[in-house]
């Protein structure tokens, strides 16, 4: 299973798309109605979909998987009693599968037969999404839920987060111990550390300083730089998240501690705690579909705007 894309609704979708392409460094993929699709250099048809909306919210986060894995998910999601529905996607990649609502409203979509596209050149283009992190009222409970209902694995726990993987990448998502449910941040995988640093420089050219970074995390050991996007959410340049084996032993909060006044391995950058917190509260979850039995044909629910 792999993380593919995130679908957001927000006011000013066209302006947000212009920022992500002209300054952040993504490539336009297509505009369909009032949805702007943006891609990276890799083989996914898009990484971010931005739909015009009066209010900002997260429509879904999309994973791609095999047909066998989808069948397993249908059974485990049903057994867990989660709200879900079959879905046929009409976005750029197509495909069909299921969409699932977790206990705190997070909406995850799992697709099979979604098309890929030819990679494109661009050293400063993001390659893919490396992770999407959510704020959680009870991150520990959500971590257990995605293990039981989705077959994900908790990789590490810190004082701030529960890190979760769906393949050998240390984390494709995480749940922050925030006390509320929303989007925490979106992380874009850059080609290498130089691409991360060039991205920082590109945004500094626009008088945008990192809200945190550059630095190197503990869990996952990825290099990072976080920015607060003009259209609201926290977005991250990242590279080289660790790969872990199946028998990787999840760390506990006491395994991830730093010297006083340090919050990452390097300890060279300040963090705008207040600014990040405010941005992290802006994109909540909103379900705009009704639950349906997953045993029904997969074309029962058709997404006209994904």
């Amino acid at each position: 299973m792999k993380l593919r894309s995130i679908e957001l609704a927000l006011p000013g979708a066209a302006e947000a798309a212009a920022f992500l392409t002209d300054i952040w460094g993504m490539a336009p993929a297509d505009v369909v109605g009032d949805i702007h699709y943006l891609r990276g250099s890799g083989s996914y048809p898009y990484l971010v979909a931005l739909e015009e909306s009066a209010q900002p919210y997260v429509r879904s986060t999309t994973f791609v998987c095999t047909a066998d894995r989808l069948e397993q998910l249908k059974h485990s999601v049903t057994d867990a009693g989660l709200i879900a529905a079959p879905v046929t996607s009409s976005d750029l990649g197509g495909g069909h599968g299921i969409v699932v609502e977790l206990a705190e409203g997070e909406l995850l979509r799992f697709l099979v037969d979604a098309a890929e596209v030819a990679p494109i050149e661009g050293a400063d283009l993001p390659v893919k999404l490396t992770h999407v992190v959510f704020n959680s009222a009870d991150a520990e409970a959500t971590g257990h839920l995605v293990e039981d209902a989705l077959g994900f694995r908790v990789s590490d726990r810190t004082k701030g987060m529960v890190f979760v993987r769906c393949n050998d990448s240390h984390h494709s998502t995480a749940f922050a111990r925030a006390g509320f449910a929303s989007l925490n941040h979106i992380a874009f995988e850059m080609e290498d550390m130089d691409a991360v640093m060039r991205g920082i420089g590109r945004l500094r050219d626009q008088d945008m300083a990192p809200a945190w970074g550059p630095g190197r995390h503990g869990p996952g050991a990825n290099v990072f730089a976080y920015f607060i996007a003009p259209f609201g959410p926290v977005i991250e340049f990242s590279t080289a998240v660790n790969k872990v084996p199946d028998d990787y032993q999840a760390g506990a909060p006491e395994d991830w501690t730093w010297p006083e006044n340090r919050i990452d391995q390097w300890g060279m950058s300040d963090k705008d705690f207040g600014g990040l917190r405010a941005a992290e509260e802006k994109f909540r979850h909103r379900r705009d579909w009704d639950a349906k039995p997953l045993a029904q044909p997969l074309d029962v629910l058709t997404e006209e705007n994904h």
Side-chain angles (χ1 to χ4, degrees), residues 245-286:
D246 287 342
D247 59 356
Y248 179 83
Q249 296 299 304
E254 56 268 23
D255 298 318
W256 299 105
T257 59
W258 310 112
E260 188 176 0
N261 298 322
R262 180 174 292 197
I263 50 178
D264 73 292
Q265 290 195 47
W266 292 348
M268 60 182 287
S269 300
D270 294 329
K271 183 175 183 179
D272 180 1
F273 287 96
L276 289 168
R277 175 81 174 194
E280 291 165 3
E281 295 187 18
K282 290 184 178 178
F283 280 78
R284 304 287 177 147
H285 310 292
R286 183 184 301 177

Side-chain angles (χ1 to χ4, degrees), residues 134-271:
F134 301 105
N135 292 310
S136 181
D138 190 340
E140 203 63 49
T142 304
H144 289 302
L145 176 64
V146 296
E147 285 193 314
D148 295 340
L150 305 180
F152 288 14
R153 300 282 298 278
V154 170
S155 296
D156 275 300
R157 294 175 171 89
T158 67
K159 292 179 180 179
M161 288 194 181
V162 177
F163 293 85
V164 178
R165 67 186 188 273
C166 65
N167 50 47
D168 64 350
S169 182
H170 179 273
H171 56 282
S172 58
T173 187
F175 300 95
R177 307 179 194 275
F180 56 89
S182 67
L183 175 67
N184 182 282
H185 72 270
I186 306 164
F188 295 85
E189 176 75 21
M190 305 304 287
E191 184 175 313
D192 52 29
M193 192 185 303
D194 278 349
V196 170
M197 301 307 285
R198 287 193 299 269
I200 295 171
R202 192 165 57 248
L203 268 71
R204 283 194 176 277
D205 288 343
Q206 303 295 320
D207 296 322
M208 293 183 64
W212 184 23
R216 184 183 289 278
H217 284 309
N222 48 306
V223 173
F224 66 85
Y226 293 80
F227 289 84
I228 299 171
F231 58 96
V234 180
I235 50 180
E236 176 190 359
F237 290 124
S238 181
T239 195
V241 174
N242 279 352
K243 303 293 186 181
V244 298
D246 287 342
D247 59 356
Y248 179 83
Q249 296 299 304
E254 56 268 23
D255 298 318
W256 299 105
T257 59
W258 310 112
E260 188 176 0
N261 298 322
R262 180 174 292 197
I263 50 178
D264 73 292
Q265 290 195 47
W266 292 348
M268 60 182 287
S269 300
D270 294 329
K271 183 175 183 179

